């Protein structure tokens, strides 16, 4: 069964350092998402790609976060410099339209758990 | 006020119980209502979705949407220990690249 791949699974970094996460969506999924999930909360959308284009990055803290999906396949999310408040699970998802259309079924990867010390 | 409100629990029930999980929302544009299940240290997975109002059943799971009250529910019948997970409601408007908004999740524990 096809899955969304993410790496690393765990990352510990010191504040002010740079950190990067990688995601490989399910083959053929044009839409890719990066979410941040703080413990005890639901996923919060950071950025959404359609192929290589950003369609929503309104919640991405652009002073320190960047995301790219250069060839419309895999994607990288970067944080520089990392802050203590960035400690969270970073989830990548890709999607297909719901059978009915109009919205999407999202397939999530296992996430990268980031701890900033 | 958050667009989607969900009781965080935790909810602890004995095996075989009927479980009711609920969310309220404020955005009238929401048309798609989804329930995701998230096991510990895993990403969420879609359980079921409903378009607009009404009920939908899938095995032991039933999703209900009451748009007039802006209230959705997920019922789990004959709950099993394997149902122990966090359940996230999620919603979106229709069309285009509509953002999916998640609730905070309800942590469920089914005790054997």
């Amino acid at each position: 069964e096809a899955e969304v791949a993410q790496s690393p699974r765990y990352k510990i970094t010191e504040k002010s350092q740079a950190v990067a996460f990688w995601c490989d969506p399910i083959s053929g999924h044009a839409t890719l998402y990066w979410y941040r999930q703080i413990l005890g909360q639901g996923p919060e959308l950071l950025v959404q790609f359609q192929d290589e284009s950003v369609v929503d990055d309104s919640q991405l803290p652009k002073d320190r976060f960047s995301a790219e999906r250069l060839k419309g396949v895999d994607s990288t999310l970067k944080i520089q410099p990392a802050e203590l408040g960035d400690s969270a699970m970073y989830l990548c998802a890709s999607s297909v339209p719901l059978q009915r259309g109009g919205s999407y079924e999202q397939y999530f990867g296992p996430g990268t758990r980031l701890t900033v010390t | 006020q958050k667009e989607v409100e969900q009781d965080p629990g935790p909810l602890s029930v004995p095996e075989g119980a009927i479980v009711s999980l609920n969310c309220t929302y404020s955005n009238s544009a929401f048309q798609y209502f989804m329930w995701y299940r998230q096991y510990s240290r895993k990403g969420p997975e879609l359980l079921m979705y409903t378009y607009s109002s009404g009920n939908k059943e899938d095995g032991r799971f039933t999703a209900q949407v009451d748009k007039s009250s802006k209230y959705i529910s997920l019922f789990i019948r004959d709950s099993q220990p394997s149902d122990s997970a966090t359940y996230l409601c999620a919603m979106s408007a229709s069309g285009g690249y509509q953002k999916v908004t998640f609730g905070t999740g309800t942590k469920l524990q089914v005790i054997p």
Side-chain angles (χ1 to χ4, degrees), chain B residues 83-106:
Chain B
D83 296 329
S84 299
T86 296
Y87 290 80
L88 298 152
C89 62
M91 310 176 189
S92 75
S94 178
Y97 302 118
Q98 294 294 342
K99 184 175 80 170
V100 176
T101 301
F102 286 83
T104 53
T106 299

PDB file of all heavy atoms in Angstrom, chain B residues 83-106:
ATOM      1  N   ASP B  83     -10.029   0.523  19.150  1.00  0.00           N
ATOM      2  CA  ASP B  83     -10.553   1.857  18.834  1.00  0.00           C
ATOM      3  C   ASP B  83      -9.869   2.944  19.661  1.00  0.00           C
ATOM      4  O   ASP B  83     -10.103   4.134  19.431  1.00  0.00           O
ATOM      5  CB  ASP B  83     -12.065   1.916  19.101  1.00  0.00           C
ATOM      6  CG  ASP B  83     -12.871   1.001  18.204  1.00  0.00           C
ATOM      7  OD1 ASP B  83     -12.446   0.772  17.042  1.00  0.00           O
ATOM      8  OD2 ASP B  83     -13.925   0.501  18.660  1.00  0.00           O
ATOM      9  N   SER B  84      -9.057   2.548  20.609  1.00  0.00           N
ATOM     10  CA  SER B  84      -8.355   3.522  21.449  1.00  0.00           C
ATOM     11  C   SER B  84      -7.411   4.356  20.594  1.00  0.00           C
ATOM     12  O   SER B  84      -6.470   3.830  19.985  1.00  0.00           O
ATOM     13  CB  SER B  84      -7.566   2.812  22.557  1.00  0.00           C
ATOM     14  OG  SER B  84      -8.430   2.084  23.405  1.00  0.00           O
ATOM     15  N   ALA B  85      -7.687   5.640  20.521  1.00  0.00           N
ATOM     16  CA  ALA B  85      -6.957   6.552  19.641  1.00  0.00           C
ATOM     17  C   ALA B  85      -7.478   7.958  19.903  1.00  0.00           C
ATOM     18  O   ALA B  85      -8.382   8.159  20.713  1.00  0.00           O
ATOM     19  CB  ALA B  85      -7.172   6.186  18.174  1.00  0.00           C
ATOM     20  N   THR B  86      -6.911   8.913  19.206  1.00  0.00           N
ATOM     21  CA  THR B  86      -7.457  10.272  19.216  1.00  0.00           C
ATOM     22  C   THR B  86      -8.291  10.466  17.954  1.00  0.00           C
ATOM     23  O   THR B  86      -7.839  10.123  16.850  1.00  0.00           O
ATOM     24  CB  THR B  86      -6.325  11.321  19.268  1.00  0.00           C
ATOM     25  OG1 THR B  86      -5.624  11.183  20.512  1.00  0.00           O
ATOM     26  CG2 THR B  86      -6.894  12.729  19.169  1.00  0.00           C
ATOM     27  N   TYR B  87      -9.494  10.983  18.119  1.00  0.00           N
ATOM     28  CA  TYR B  87     -10.411  11.195  17.003  1.00  0.00           C
ATOM     29  C   TYR B  87     -10.507  12.691  16.718  1.00  0.00           C
ATOM     30  O   TYR B  87     -10.817  13.488  17.607  1.00  0.00           O
ATOM     31  CB  TYR B  87     -11.784  10.596  17.317  1.00  0.00           C
ATOM     32  CG  TYR B  87     -11.729   9.090  17.332  1.00  0.00           C
ATOM     33  CD1 TYR B  87     -11.245   8.414  18.447  1.00  0.00           C
ATOM     34  CD2 TYR B  87     -12.103   8.348  16.220  1.00  0.00           C
ATOM     35  CE1 TYR B  87     -11.144   7.029  18.460  1.00  0.00           C
ATOM     36  CE2 TYR B  87     -12.012   6.958  16.223  1.00  0.00           C
ATOM     37  CZ  TYR B  87     -11.523   6.317  17.340  1.00  0.00           C
ATOM     38  OH  TYR B  87     -11.416   4.943  17.340  1.00  0.00           O
ATOM     39  N   LEU B  88     -10.222  13.039  15.491  1.00  0.00           N
ATOM     40  CA  LEU B  88     -10.210  14.435  15.056  1.00  0.00           C
ATOM     41  C   LEU B  88     -11.355  14.684  14.101  1.00  0.00           C
ATOM     42  O   LEU B  88     -11.496  13.971  13.100  1.00  0.00           O
ATOM     43  CB  LEU B  88      -8.900  14.751  14.329  1.00  0.00           C
ATOM     44  CG  LEU B  88      -7.606  14.623  15.120  1.00  0.00           C
ATOM     45  CD1 LEU B  88      -6.445  14.291  14.194  1.00  0.00           C
ATOM     46  CD2 LEU B  88      -7.305  15.921  15.848  1.00  0.00           C
ATOM     47  N   CYS B  89     -12.179  15.684  14.391  1.00  0.00           N
ATOM     48  CA  CYS B  89     -13.125  16.107  13.373  1.00  0.00           C
ATOM     49  C   CYS B  89     -12.425  17.113  12.469  1.00  0.00           C
ATOM     50  O   CYS B  89     -11.474  17.779  12.879  1.00  0.00           O
ATOM     51  CB  CYS B  89     -14.386  16.699  13.991  1.00  0.00           C
ATOM     52  SG  CYS B  89     -14.145  18.184  14.976  1.00  0.00           S
ATOM     53  N   ALA B  90     -12.866  17.185  11.233  1.00  0.00           N
ATOM     54  CA  ALA B  90     -12.264  18.087  10.256  1.00  0.00           C
ATOM     55  C   ALA B  90     -13.349  18.554   9.296  1.00  0.00           C
ATOM     56  O   ALA B  90     -14.286  17.803   9.002  1.00  0.00           O
ATOM     57  CB  ALA B  90     -11.132  17.396   9.505  1.00  0.00           C
ATOM     58  N   MET B  91     -13.226  19.779   8.816  1.00  0.00           N
ATOM     59  CA  MET B  91     -14.270  20.346   7.989  1.00  0.00           C
ATOM     60  C   MET B  91     -13.678  21.224   6.903  1.00  0.00           C
ATOM     61  O   MET B  91     -12.608  21.826   7.094  1.00  0.00           O
ATOM     62  CB  MET B  91     -15.204  21.207   8.842  1.00  0.00           C
ATOM     63  CG  MET B  91     -15.688  20.491  10.073  1.00  0.00           C
ATOM     64  SD  MET B  91     -16.676  21.523  11.137  1.00  0.00           S
ATOM     65  CE  MET B  91     -16.800  20.437  12.546  1.00  0.00           C
ATOM     66  N   SER B  92     -14.402  21.322   5.806  1.00  0.00           N
ATOM     67  CA  SER B  92     -13.977  22.244   4.762  1.00  0.00           C
ATOM     68  C   SER B  92     -15.195  22.748   4.001  1.00  0.00           C
ATOM     69  O   SER B  92     -16.253  22.119   3.990  1.00  0.00           O
ATOM     70  CB  SER B  92     -12.988  21.578   3.802  1.00  0.00           C
ATOM     71  OG  SER B  92     -13.644  20.689   2.933  1.00  0.00           O
ATOM     72  N   ALA B  93     -15.001  23.890   3.374  1.00  0.00           N
ATOM     73  CA  ALA B  93     -15.996  24.390   2.443  1.00  0.00           C
ATOM     74  C   ALA B  93     -15.836  23.611   1.144  1.00  0.00           C
ATOM     75  O   ALA B  93     -15.003  22.717   1.036  1.00  0.00           O
ATOM     76  CB  ALA B  93     -15.816  25.888   2.234  1.00  0.00           C
ATOM     77  N   SER B  94     -16.633  23.960   0.156  1.00  0.00           N
ATOM     78  CA  SER B  94     -16.647  23.201  -1.088  1.00  0.00           C
ATOM     79  C   SER B  94     -15.932  23.943  -2.192  1.00  0.00           C
ATOM     80  O   SER B  94     -16.015  25.162  -2.286  1.00  0.00           O
ATOM     81  CB  SER B  94     -18.094  22.949  -1.505  1.00  0.00           C
ATOM     82  OG  SER B  94     -18.140  22.253  -2.730  1.00  0.00           O
ATOM     83  N   GLY B  95     -15.219  23.184  -3.022  1.00  0.00           N
ATOM     84  CA  GLY B  95     -14.673  23.749  -4.242  1.00  0.00           C
ATOM     85  C   GLY B  95     -13.286  24.345  -4.072  1.00  0.00           C
ATOM     86  O   GLY B  95     -12.902  24.791  -3.000  1.00  0.00           O
ATOM     87  N   GLY B  96     -12.552  24.362  -5.162  1.00  0.00           N
ATOM     88  CA  GLY B  96     -11.228  24.981  -5.172  1.00  0.00           C
ATOM     89  C   GLY B  96     -10.287  24.332  -4.192  1.00  0.00           C
ATOM     90  O   GLY B  96     -10.404  23.158  -3.875  1.00  0.00           O
ATOM     91  N   TYR B  97      -9.346  25.102  -3.692  1.00  0.00           N
ATOM     92  CA  TYR B  97      -8.341  24.584  -2.762  1.00  0.00           C
ATOM     93  C   TYR B  97      -8.759  24.932  -1.344  1.00  0.00           C
ATOM     94  O   TYR B  97      -8.080  25.658  -0.635  1.00  0.00           O
ATOM     95  CB  TYR B  97      -6.973  25.171  -3.078  1.00  0.00           C
ATOM     96  CG  TYR B  97      -6.526  24.894  -4.489  1.00  0.00           C
ATOM     97  CD1 TYR B  97      -6.296  25.920  -5.385  1.00  0.00           C
ATOM     98  CD2 TYR B  97      -6.354  23.587  -4.931  1.00  0.00           C
ATOM     99  CE1 TYR B  97      -5.891  25.658  -6.680  1.00  0.00           C
ATOM    100  CE2 TYR B  97      -5.951  23.318  -6.220  1.00  0.00           C
ATOM    101  CZ  TYR B  97      -5.722  24.360  -7.094  1.00  0.00           C
ATOM    102  OH  TYR B  97      -5.319  24.101  -8.365  1.00  0.00           O
ATOM    103  N   GLN B  98      -9.912  24.418  -0.948  1.00  0.00           N
ATOM    104  CA  GLN B  98     -10.442  24.777   0.357  1.00  0.00           C
ATOM    105  C   GLN B  98      -9.632  24.129   1.470  1.00  0.00           C
ATOM    106  O   GLN B  98      -9.389  22.917   1.462  1.00  0.00           O
ATOM    107  CB  GLN B  98     -11.905  24.338   0.465  1.00  0.00           C
ATOM    108  CG  GLN B  98     -12.825  25.076  -0.480  1.00  0.00           C
ATOM    109  CD  GLN B  98     -12.951  26.552  -0.144  1.00  0.00           C
ATOM    110  OE1 GLN B  98     -12.623  26.963   0.961  1.00  0.00           O
ATOM    111  NE2 GLN B  98     -13.439  27.340  -1.082  1.00  0.00           N
ATOM    112  N   LYS B  99      -9.252  24.945   2.437  1.00  0.00           N
ATOM    113  CA  LYS B  99      -8.489  24.461   3.572  1.00  0.00           C
ATOM    114  C   LYS B  99      -9.353  23.554   4.431  1.00  0.00           C
ATOM    115  O   LYS B  99     -10.546  23.803   4.617  1.00  0.00           O
ATOM    116  CB  LYS B  99      -7.998  25.651   4.390  1.00  0.00           C
ATOM    117  CG  LYS B  99      -7.097  25.268   5.549  1.00  0.00           C
ATOM    118  CD  LYS B  99      -6.559  26.505   6.245  1.00  0.00           C
ATOM    119  CE  LYS B  99      -7.558  27.110   7.183  1.00  0.00           C
ATOM    120  NZ  LYS B  99      -6.960  28.167   8.023  1.00  0.00           N
ATOM    121  N   VAL B 100      -8.751  22.489   4.937  1.00  0.00           N
ATOM    122  CA  VAL B 100      -9.424  21.622   5.899  1.00  0.00           C
ATOM    123  C   VAL B 100      -9.046  22.100   7.291  1.00  0.00           C
ATOM    124  O   VAL B 100      -7.866  22.242   7.614  1.00  0.00           O
ATOM    125  CB  VAL B 100      -9.004  20.149   5.705  1.00  0.00           C
ATOM    126  CG1 VAL B 100      -9.627  19.277   6.783  1.00  0.00           C
ATOM    127  CG2 VAL B 100      -9.422  19.657   4.321  1.00  0.00           C
ATOM    128  N   THR B 101     -10.054  22.388   8.112  1.00  0.00           N
ATOM    129  CA  THR B 101      -9.835  22.848   9.481  1.00  0.00           C
ATOM    130  C   THR B 101     -10.119  21.701  10.439  1.00  0.00           C
ATOM    131  O   THR B 101     -11.205  21.113  10.390  1.00  0.00           O
ATOM    132  CB  THR B 101     -10.750  24.038   9.804  1.00  0.00           C
ATOM    133  OG1 THR B 101     -10.478  25.104   8.875  1.00  0.00           O
ATOM    134  CG2 THR B 101     -10.478  24.536  11.220  1.00  0.00           C
ATOM    135  N   PHE B 102      -9.147  21.408  11.283  1.00  0.00           N
ATOM    136  CA  PHE B 102      -9.260  20.290  12.220  1.00  0.00           C
ATOM    137  C   PHE B 102      -9.674  20.766  13.601  1.00  0.00           C
ATOM    138  O   PHE B 102      -9.314  21.879  14.031  1.00  0.00           O
ATOM    139  CB  PHE B 102      -7.914  19.570  12.348  1.00  0.00           C
ATOM    140  CG  PHE B 102      -7.554  18.715  11.167  1.00  0.00           C
ATOM    141  CD1 PHE B 102      -6.970  19.276  10.038  1.00  0.00           C
ATOM    142  CD2 PHE B 102      -7.797  17.350  11.177  1.00  0.00           C
ATOM    143  CE1 PHE B 102      -6.631  18.499   8.943  1.00  0.00           C
ATOM    144  CE2 PHE B 102      -7.460  16.558  10.083  1.00  0.00           C
ATOM    145  CZ  PHE B 102      -6.888  17.143   8.971  1.00  0.00           C
ATOM    146  N   GLY B 103     -10.405  19.908  14.310  1.00  0.00           N
ATOM    147  CA  GLY B 103     -10.628  20.107  15.727  1.00  0.00           C
ATOM    148  C   GLY B 103      -9.388  19.699  16.508  1.00  0.00           C
ATOM    149  O   GLY B 103      -8.401  19.215  15.937  1.00  0.00           O
ATOM    150  N   THR B 104      -9.454  19.867  17.816  1.00  0.00           N
ATOM    151  CA  THR B 104      -8.283  19.582  18.645  1.00  0.00           C
ATOM    152  C   THR B 104      -8.118  18.093  18.937  1.00  0.00           C
ATOM    153  O   THR B 104      -7.068  17.673  19.390  1.00  0.00           O
ATOM    154  CB  THR B 104      -8.367  20.335  19.974  1.00  0.00           C
ATOM    155  OG1 THR B 104      -9.628  20.029  20.586  1.00  0.00           O
ATOM    156  CG2 THR B 104      -8.261  21.837  19.767  1.00  0.00           C
ATOM    157  N   GLY B 105      -9.167  17.311  18.654  1.00  0.00           N
ATOM    158  CA  GLY B 105      -9.077  15.870  18.883  1.00  0.00           C
ATOM    159  C   GLY B 105      -9.611  15.466  20.247  1.00  0.00           C
ATOM    160  O   GLY B 105      -9.456  16.197  21.228  1.00  0.00           O
ATOM    161  N   THR B 106     -10.259  14.306  20.299  1.00  0.00           N
ATOM    162  CA  THR B 106     -10.715  13.700  21.550  1.00  0.00           C
ATOM    163  C   THR B 106      -9.984  12.384  21.728  1.00  0.00           C
ATOM    164  O   THR B 106     -10.038  11.520  20.842  1.00  0.00           O
ATOM    165  CB  THR B 106     -12.230  13.432  21.545  1.00  0.00           C
ATOM    166  OG1 THR B 106     -12.935  14.660  21.394  1.00  0.00           O
ATOM    167  CG2 THR B 106     -12.660  12.755  22.846  1.00  0.00           C
TER     168      THR B 106
END
